[in-house]
Amino acid sequence: MTTTNPGFSRRRFLALGGAVAGSAASGALAVGCSPASSTNTPAATGTGSSAKGVVTVMSQSGEFGPKEAKAASQALGLTVKTVEYDLTKLTAMLASGNPPDVVRGMGATETPYLVARQVAENLDPYFAKSTLIKADDIDPVNDVWRYDGEKQGSGPRYGFAKDYSQDCTIWYNGALFDAAKVTRPSATTPLLLDELLDEGRRLVKRQGAKVSVYGLNPNGLGLFGQLTWMTDLAGGKLTADDLASVDFSTPEAQRALTWYLEYAKAGIGPTVLNPDPNGWDGPTFQAGRMATTLSGYWLGGLFAGDPKSAKVAGFAPAPQFDTGRRVSPCFGATGLWMPKAGKNKDAAWAVMEWYLAGDPAKARASGGWGIPPLKSLQKLMPQKLPYQKQAYDVQMAEKEHFSVTSYTPYVRQDAINAVITRELPKAIKGSTSVGQFADTLNTQINAQLADGKKRLR
């Protein structure tokens, strides 16, 4: 394939596109990305003077769709169009040198991957001139959109969150806890993970061989992220400092794997062997069939228009092991980034700034669908209903336990999760020991990482 983008070589195209199969195999939602610094970019000339013409936004229709495009067009005097996010299509558009002007992405897990592939604009010059986004107003979670080539959380900004959650915080159904005579989680003291597992066993309900009420769902946004977090809680690191290898055989990683396998073998919540037919926890929680879920603050937005759920919903801090280490991570920080090969960057920034910090950002903040990316907007988070007030108080205290986790630039998280998903059933069924499971994951994931690193040379 010939590329018309001189900064995006055939090798880099293959490195990007090579993850598509892994994404499809994992069954995970397609996600956006973020990437490398550029020099002599139009951004350095400032914003506004070229904010005209057509801007194409690639996103999910439920986030930035035709309705948002129409509002942006009216507010900014531009023509804004949308295209549904699709990784295969995005890869082809980047390789041809004709990408969308703005792309949806998940900064927490995608930033290093695409920084290494040199496909996104360094947005620092735009942020420096922004009238809506001031440096001292930026929530620290936006550091997941920064990468200096070695460490995530420092260096230039390549995107910005539209909202975020600390994704291991807990939503629980208080009525189910009361009925099972289980004490509701504390709003201030984190549960130990072993306590959480014990509660899940007590809260599960069965009808014959089928689970009618899940006691617990700790799966989050993908098992690699969850296992990385639990290994950190245990006092270790799952990924090496150079981000080029993983080690599931350390005592800390083994503790994380053992905990998850105990959960899976107990049959108290969704697993790869027995997935939730709804596909996600929202409808299951609303139906009164989910006692506890590690889903993050954003899920509370679903309950504002659902009096039944609002009456029983409670929010609690992210759990921890008994090591005394407390970490409350973000695996998403979903937002927008700008392809380096885009043709209308000043106008693209105008759309990004409006959506991420203008009237749409204020509306999202007041709806409870995630935490605003600007500190000044966080006062708009809903506190009218009792569950909203409790969730707000818990979340504000939880913020001090956030820190940036560096993810590898060599392989998409979807591809790593696909390996775990493929090998997990044998471990759940007991035909593979925890040690053997760890060895298999090390072998297969490290082979992926080595190949990904080789492609970038």
Side-chain angles (χ1 to χ4, degrees):
M1 172 178 253
T2 302
T3 173
T4 59
N5 177 6
F8 195 55
S9 68
R10 173 179 173 82
R11 178 182 296 159
R12 293 189 185 278
F13 167 70
L14 292 172
L16 177 63
V20 175
S23 175
S26 72
L29 289 174
V31 297
C33 345
S34 158
S37 62
S38 60
T39 57
N40 301 319
T41 66
T45 66
T47 61
S49 61
S50 301
K52 57 185 178 180
V54 179
V55 174
T56 300
V57 179
M58 176 179 272
S59 182
Q60 294 181 352
S61 56
E63 293 177 359
F64 196 114
K67 179 180 177 181
E68 289 74 20
K70 181 178 179 180
S73 298
Q74 294 174 343
L76 301 172
L78 301 166
T79 300
V80 182
K81 299 180 179 180
T82 62
V83 59
E84 191 71 12
Y85 185 92
D86 179 83
L87 178 59
T88 303
K89 185 172 184 178
L90 174 61
T91 302
M93 294 174 76
L94 287 167
S96 70
N98 188 33
D101 298 291
V102 178
V103 183
R104 177 191 193 267
M106 291 179 74
T109 54
E110 298 293 331
T111 299
Y113 181 84
L114 288 174
V115 167
R117 284 150 187 81
Q118 301 180 13
V119 296
E121 189 66 57
N122 172 359
L123 297 178
D124 276 359
Y126 286 111
F127 281 107
K129 295 178 179 294
S130 176
T131 59
L132 295 180
I133 304 173
K134 301 301 182 183
D136 61 359
D137 193 29
I138 296 175
D139 189 284
V141 78
N142 285 289
D143 285 349
V144 302
W145 281 102
R146 301 173 66 188
Y147 187 62
D148 63 8
E150 295 182 357
K151 181 182 179 182
Q152 195 168 353
S154 61
R157 296 186 187 277
Y158 294 94
F160 202 70
K162 68 178 181 66
D163 51 55
Y164 76 96
S165 289
Q166 287 169 263
D167 293 301
C168 294
T169 46
I170 295 170
W171 283 102
Y172 64 88
N173 183 318
L176 293 176
F177 273 73
D178 295 345
K181 293 183 171 53
V182 177
T183 302
R184 297 187 183 196
S186 168
T188 56
T189 303
L191 282 165
L192 295 179
L193 278 159
D194 290 341
E195 293 174 333
L196 185 70
L197 188 57
D198 179 63
E199 288 184 356
R201 291 188 174 102
R202 296 167 63 192
L203 289 160
V204 68
K205 292 184 179 180
R206 307 180 193 276
Q207 290 181 339
K210 295 187 66 176
V211 172
S212 58
V213 174
Y214 294 120
L216 170 66
N217 185 3
N219 289 291
L221 295 177
L223 281 181
F224 184 69
Q226 298 299 94
L227 293 169
T228 297
W229 163 62
M230 286 193 284
T231 301
D232 189 352
L233 289 177
K237 294 183 67 173
L238 191 52
T239 304
D241 289 341
D242 65 359
L243 306 177
S245 65
V246 298
D247 189 355
F248 283 89
S249 63
T250 67
E252 296 85 3
Q254 291 274 290
R255 186 172 188 185
L257 283 177
T258 298
W259 187 93
Y260 186 81
L261 288 175
E262 286 183 8
Y263 156 78
K265 291 177 180 180
I268 60 177
T271 67
V272 64
L273 291 179
N274 293 293
D276 182 349
N278 287 317
W280 69 294
D281 288 356
T284 309
F285 192 102
Q286 289 182 294
R289 296 189 55 243
M290 178 68 71
T292 310
T293 172
L294 276 61
S295 288
Y297 176 85
W298 74 273
L299 190 66
L302 189 67
F303 309 146
D306 176 8
K308 182 179 178 182
S309 293
K311 185 177 180 180
V312 301
F315 194 63
Q320 61 184 61
F321 279 129
D322 58 5
T323 60
R325 180 159 173 74
R326 188 170 175 184
V327 181
S328 189
C330 172
F331 300 130
T334 302
L336 299 175
W337 61 278
M338 187 191 304
K340 184 189 292 188
K343 304 298 192 297
N344 199 0
K345 293 178 184 176
D346 285 346
W349 173 253
V351 173
M352 289 180 64
E353 188 180 37
W354 169 83
Y355 181 70
L356 298 171
D359 288 341
K362 296 175 183 177
R364 286 193 302 274
S366 62
W369 290 95
I371 306 160
L374 297 177
K375 291 181 282 188
S376 61
L377 297 182
Q378 291 172 6
K379 62 180 180 291
L380 300 177
M381 293 164 65
Q383 302 180 57
K384 181 179 179 181
L385 299 174
Y387 92 90
Q388 293 173 331
K389 174 59 176 170
Q390 191 236 358
Y392 176 86
D393 290 342
V394 171
Q395 179 54 65
M396 290 301 102
E398 191 78 357
K399 283 166 62 68
E400 69 177 274
H401 303 292
F402 167 75
S403 60
V404 176
T405 299
S406 288
Y407 282 87
T408 182
Y410 302 120
V411 177
R412 285 182 59 88
Q413 299 303 299
D414 294 346
I416 295 177
N417 280 321
V419 173
I420 298 173
T421 299
R422 184 173 63 244
E423 298 300 325
L424 186 57
K426 289 178 283 188
I428 296 174
K429 293 175 181 178
S431 58
T432 297
S433 69
V434 175
Q436 290 170 328
F437 184 39
D439 290 343
T440 298
L441 295 181
N442 286 343
T443 298
Q444 296 192 23
I445 295 172
N446 285 335
Q448 284 189 338
L449 290 166
D451 183 64
K453 186 175 182 179
K454 182 179 178 181
R455 289 173 181 267
L456 289 175
R457 291 173 183 166

